[in-house]
Every structure is written in structure tokens, then in C-alpha cells.
Amino acid sequence: MSTIATYVRRLGDNTLILSQRLSEWCGKGPALEEDMALTNVALDLIGQARLWFAYTAELEGNGSDEDQLAFLRDAHDFSNLLLVEQPNGNYADTLVRQFFFDAWHYHVLMALTRSADARIVEIAEKSIKEVTYHLRRSGDLVVRLGDGTEISHRMMQAAVDNLWMFTGEMFSQDDVEQRLQQSGVAPAADAIRAQWLEHVAEILGEATLVMPAADAWMQSGGKQGRHTEHLGYLLAEMQFLQRAYPGSKW
Amino acid sequence: MSKEWPLWEVFIRSQHGLAHKHVGSLHAPDAEMAINNARDVYTRRNEGVGIWVVKASDIVSSSPGDKTALFEPSNNKVYRHPTFFPMPEEVKNL
């Protein structure tokens, strides 16, 4: 598998898995309007996953397609960030997960609009409009709930503290990403990290939430297929039909 | 503080539309979230749309009981309706 295909598939895996998580909220949001908004974000992300997977399949050139990539790989073949596979928890957990991801996603996609790979540029430009909105929304809600009632503040702080250890992985560069950075395809993780920390510090500050230490110990492994125990269950649900009736037209 | 979010009326100008049209209502804690929600609920985020949100409590409506007094008098006086002027071809959207 080419290094570009590996990298592009990672981007697709992130958006697919987070989309699956968000769609679990359908009909269960705290208000009708929130329900619509979350599922809208889920639809945006699934659209992006399809674009990344279509390109992955094209690069691999082995006849696989978007559906096979989504439905016929097991957990150890998924390379999404550990952050996006975390359970929805309560609304604070979902929002904080979303905000951490959106802030990373936004800065990465901005950088990818200047990638040396033309197809990546194309997909990034398409996605950035949606992600700009996702980030605006999740940032806004983090401030509202962090600086809301005593209870909402406490729940948001707990979510920040619990999810923090999954954020470091977004900026850990393995040799795939290092090589792509050298060839100008992928951005420098350090630069993204600095932008992310600044963005997150600003919003958490406004939300009166305490930001955990940037150099805290971090979980990793998602990109290499070493996942938390949550991904297997998520895939079992998501892939059931395709596993039971493989290769069907739908 | 009331537990229920206030009701907002939503007016949207579509991409090629000339005026904002009332499309429905929604609940939101404040104007900014009402705009965000209107975007998700009513526009599917098409580009180039204008959204107005107005607190429902700020809208004053004519009452059905005043119908006769407000609208009836002109109905039997056709000369009050500006419908006898031929419109030039070039004037669109009137």
C-alpha cells in the first residue's frame, strides 16, 4: 500500500467512525434542533469519508471500493484516531470529543488545501467549508455549557479531563506521515499541534474550563490498528448486514 | 430562568429568491443559536442564503376579528387596485 493511500485512508477512517458515533444520537438529542445539527454533521462526515475512500481505492488499484473499505475491514485494519471511536457518553462527552476533533480537522484540512497532491487538495477544499461550520458550532457549545450552570460546567470539565489523553495521537507522526511531510503532501504535525493548542486554550478559557497539561501522557495506537475496546463493538453493529450478506447490491 | 427555550420565527431568502419568506419556527436559547439551528433545520446549508430570526413574542399580528375593518372596504372598489396598467416586458418580478 502506498504511503499516500495509507494517509488518505486514515483521514477516511476518522470521518467514517466519528460519523457512525454521531448517527447514534439520531432521535436522542437534547433538543430537536440539536438532534438535527448532530446528524447533519454526521452526514457531512460520511460524505467526506466517501471521498477519501474513493481516492484510497483508486490509489490501491486493487478493485476495492468505498463499501469494502468501510464494511469489510476488521478493527486492526482501521487506522482512525482513538478519539473518534470513544463512546458518545453524555452530551458533554460528545461535544468535547467533537470540539477536539473539529479543531484538529479544521487546521489539518486548511493545511491540506496546500498539499502537493492535487486530489487531496480537491477533497480538502470541499470538506473545509463543512468543517469550518462544525468547529464554529462545537466551539460555541463548549463555551455555552462550560460557562453555563454549575452542573454543565462540571460535566464539561469531566469530559475534557477524560478525553484529553486521546488528543496527543493527532500530532504523533509515524514514518508514513514524516515521509509525506517531506514530500509536501501532509502538513507538519508540530505546526498543527501549535495551532490546535492555541485554539483549544482560547475556547476552554472562554468556557471557564481548565485545560489539562499539554505534555500529559497520551494514548496512541489508532493509526497502527491498535484500538480501544470500543471499536470492535462499533464495527460489529456497523458491518453486520454486509457480513451477513456479503457483496449484495443496495 | 424558564426551562423552555423561547420560540423563534425563521425567514429565509433562498439562493435566487428576492425576499425573505417565513419558513417555520424553532426553539433556541438566543439569536445566535437560532440562526445556527435555522441553518441546520431549514436550509440544509445551501450557500448564498439569508436567514432572519425573530423572537415570536416580538411579532404583532392582525387579529382575524379585524378582517372586515382592515381589508374589506377596498374589495368592492376596483379603482383602488392598480391592476389596469400594462406592465413593460422588461420589468420583471413585480
Side-chain angles (χ1 to χ4, degrees):
Chain A
M1 199 170 175
S2 79
T3 48
I4 296 192
T6 305
Y7 182 67
V8 170
R9 204 185 65 180
R10 286 177 185 175
L11 293 165
D13 285 346
N14 286 330
T15 45
L16 175 74
I17 300 301
L18 186 55
S19 173
Q20 173 73 12
R21 277 289 184 231
L22 289 178
S23 67
E24 292 170 12
W25 271 106
C26 187
K28 297 175 185 158
L32 168 86
E33 291 78 6
E34 278 302 310
D35 207 84
M36 299 276 300
L38 273 192
T39 39
N40 261 340
V41 174
L43 288 174
D44 286 344
L45 293 175
I46 196 92
Q48 294 171 19
R50 293 191 60 185
L51 295 171
W52 293 122
F53 284 160
Y55 186 34
T56 308
E58 200 181 303
L59 287 166
E60 284 183 318
N62 58 3
S64 79
D65 62 17
E66 315 160 33
D67 281 346
Q68 281 176 17
L69 283 166
F71 294 120
L72 295 175
R73 278 184 298 149
D74 212 340
H76 58 264
D77 280 330
F78 268 85
S79 52
N80 57 279
L81 296 166
L82 300 176
L83 177 69
V84 299
E85 72 197 38
Q86 296 312 302
N88 286 337
N90 58 42
Y91 209 59
D93 298 321
T94 293
L95 272 179
V96 170
R97 182 186 66 198
Q98 193 63 33
F99 171 62
F100 284 166
F101 179 78
D102 289 344
W104 172 81
H105 204 195
Y106 174 82
H107 290 295
V108 166
L109 287 174
M110 278 303 255
L112 288 179
T113 61
R114 299 183 297 272
S115 169
D117 185 289
R119 282 291 298 282
I120 291 183
V121 170
E122 208 178 289
I123 299 172
E125 278 174 349
K126 231 174 163 169
S127 310
I128 193 76
K129 293 184 206 162
E130 297 170 340
V131 173
T132 304
Y133 175 66
H134 300 169
L135 178 58
R136 192 180 97 175
R137 213 190 88 82
S138 59
D140 179 57
L141 286 168
V142 165
V143 172
R144 282 168 189 275
L145 289 171
D147 194 15
T149 66
E150 212 175 289
I151 296 173
S152 74
H153 176 89
R154 204 166 59 226
M155 289 172 80
M156 291 298 278
Q157 186 66 57
V160 167
D161 294 342
N162 289 336
L163 290 167
W164 190 253
M165 65 175 162
F166 298 110
T167 59
E169 197 188 19
M170 303 193 277
F171 319 106
S172 69
Q173 249 180 341
D174 61 358
D175 56 330
V176 168
E177 288 178 28
Q178 266 163 16
R179 260 180 289 157
L180 290 177
Q181 186 196 328
Q182 278 153 19
S183 54
V185 172
D190 289 349
I192 303 291
R193 181 167 184 265
Q195 289 170 321
W196 186 87
L197 283 172
E198 194 189 323
H199 200 124
V200 169
E202 191 197 319
I203 296 288
L204 293 187
E206 220 181 305
T208 70
L209 295 166
V210 179
M211 181 159 136
D215 59 355
W217 179 80
M218 295 290 177
Q219 290 275 8
S220 65
K223 291 178 194 177
Q224 287 74 37
R226 294 193 312 276
H227 291 276
T228 59
E229 68 272 31
H230 307 295
L231 186 66
Y233 294 101
L234 182 149
L235 293 179
E237 186 177 13
M238 186 178 90
Q239 299 177 333
F240 164 75
L241 204 68
Q242 185 59 232
R243 298 273 186 198
Y245 304 98
S248 300
K249 289 255 178 291
W250 59 287
Chain B
M1 199 183 88
S2 148
K3 274 196 89 155
E4 185 75 38
W5 291 349
L7 187 69
W8 298 77
E9 297 299 331
V10 182
F11 299 78
I12 286 179
R13 191 167 71 79
S14 62
Q15 220 157 5
H16 305 289
L18 288 161
H20 286 74
K21 272 193 184 141
H22 182 241
V23 293
S25 48
L26 49 78
H27 291 275
D30 63 26
E32 198 190 340
M33 263 188 87
I35 293 262
N36 276 352
N37 291 345
R39 231 171 142 215
D40 280 315
V41 179
Y42 290 112
T43 72
R44 314 300 302 180
R45 281 174 291 113
N46 276 338
E47 271 141 314
V49 300
I51 302 176
W52 290 348
V53 291
V54 185
K55 250 196 199 138
S57 58
D58 287 338
I59 293 180
V60 181
S61 136
S62 65
S63 93
D66 290 340
K67 204 175 150 207
T68 326
L70 286 175
F71 310 115
E72 193 57 37
S74 60
N75 279 355
N76 52 12
K77 301 184 184 90
V78 284
Y79 54 84
R80 280 177 148 262
H81 301 292
T83 51
F84 301 102
F85 304 96
M87 292 309 293
E89 274 286 311
E90 304 78 54
V91 183
K92 298 251 161 56
N93 302 315
L94 264 176

